Amino acid sequence: MACYVPFNDRNLDISFFMLRPTVVYVDELVEALKHISSYTESLGCVHSSILRSIHGNLIIWYGAWMKRSTENKRLLSAALVSMLTNVSSMAILVEHSFFNAYSGESRDGSPAAKFFTGDIVSLSSASLSADDLSVSYESIAMFKDSFGKMNGASCGVCLKCEAHPRIACLFVWKSLQHCYSYILGSDYRKAILPSLEVKYDVFKVAYVSGDHVLNIETMYAPNTHSSVVQD
């Protein structure tokens, strides 16, 4: 099964939840997040995945949701944070937010970035100042031009955070070697997000929704299921 990140925000809402594991062996945490992921389908989650940092100590849970109002997104975030308290003994929730997708490119003409379990994904992000508020839109042309030169990248999408002045780029790679080759062989930071201080990491996709999940323990059930309303 594939997971998708749309190239625009017309049909889906996008969320990222970043967790920092506090245990040496994170496989149990990944399994717990898989179970939580299966519950989110009843809350309107269309696609979800778990990204595991290759070099750092970070786990990202990604979810794409049926469109909803700002108030219902607030209720949804509260429900998800409540669910994640069930893994608080294994990880700290570092940050979470909804993002708007505003541009994307793919080699196969797909209107969304597509990836599978085992794929390599890179994420770069930059905080914006008041003077940089329009940089996300100004960088679209540069993004499209740069993507054409990124050998080994199958697709990419630009995102803008709803809660904070921040933009991000996500790329899916054919292999880890292709990803390293591009990052080490080019001015990666300035190519996509010019004149900004950029942070980036490389992840392996540990799970996408649709993968087989074992029977779910009741301990992972959301505490605020009834309070989340879909539009």
Side-chain angles (χ1 to χ4, degrees):
M1 298 291 292
C3 187
Y4 295 86
V5 183
F7 289 164
N8 58 66
D9 61 356
R10 287 195 294 269
N11 299 317
L12 294 174
D13 291 319
I14 297 170
S15 65
F16 290 93
F17 284 72
M18 289 166 277
L19 301 104
R20 194 168 303 282
T22 56
V23 292
V24 176
Y25 301 103
V26 300
D27 288 346
E28 184 179 354
L29 170 61
V30 172
E31 289 301 315
L33 291 174
K34 289 180 184 179
H35 294 315
I36 290 175
S37 213
S38 67
Y39 272 106
T40 63
E41 295 178 8
S42 65
L43 303 180
C45 188
V46 180
H47 301 287
S48 64
S49 67
I50 300 169
L51 310 179
R52 186 170 176 176
S53 175
I54 292 176
H55 303 288
N57 186 31
L58 192 66
I59 299 286
I60 293 181
W61 185 88
Y62 160 77
W65 308 83
M66 297 171 59
K67 291 292 288 185
R68 62 196 67 215
S69 67
T70 300
E71 174 62 17
N72 281 332
K73 278 193 281 189
R74 186 189 66 79
L75 293 173
L76 176 60
S77 290
L80 292 169
V81 170
S82 178
M83 280 190 279
L84 290 172
T85 60
N86 292 305
V87 299
S88 60
S89 63
M90 295 180 282
I92 298 171
L93 179 60
V94 178
E95 187 177 345
H96 64 91
S97 185
F98 279 88
F99 282 75
N100 295 320
Y102 63 87
S103 183
E105 289 288 321
S106 62
R107 304 293 182 194
D108 62 2
S110 171
K114 177 175 65 175
F115 53 86
F116 300 83
T117 298
D119 280 353
I120 300 299
V121 172
S122 66
L123 274 169
S124 58
S125 65
S127 296
L128 303 177
S129 67
D131 295 333
D132 296 323
L133 289 178
S134 64
V135 72
S136 57
Y137 301 99
E138 294 173 354
S139 64
I140 290 177
M142 181 171 289
F143 166 77
K144 292 179 179 294
D145 178 68
S146 297
F147 181 78
K149 304 172 185 177
M150 297 171 70
N151 183 39
S154 59
C155 50
V157 57
C158 289
L159 307 158
K160 189 170 184 178
C161 183
E162 291 187 3
H164 308 286
R166 182 179 304 144
I167 55 177
C169 290
L170 180 150
F171 293 97
V172 182
W173 298 87
K174 295 179 181 178
S175 71
L176 185 59
Q177 289 70 29
H178 279 106
C179 180
Y180 285 157
S181 178
Y182 179 74
I183 291 174
L184 297 175
S186 67
D187 196 347
Y188 175 75
R189 297 176 183 239
K190 291 184 179 179
I192 305 300
L193 300 172
S195 73
L196 299 176
E197 183 178 352
V198 179
K199 296 180 181 180
Y200 67 93
D201 202 348
V202 181
F203 297 83
K204 186 170 184 178
V205 181
Y207 166 82
V208 301
S209 52
D211 287 352
H212 177 66
V213 179
L214 299 177
N215 290 331
I216 302 168
E217 300 290 342
T218 56
M219 65 175 289
Y220 298 115
N223 297 326
T224 55
H225 181 279
S226 61
S227 67
V228 181
V229 181
Q230 298 173 23
D231 291 341

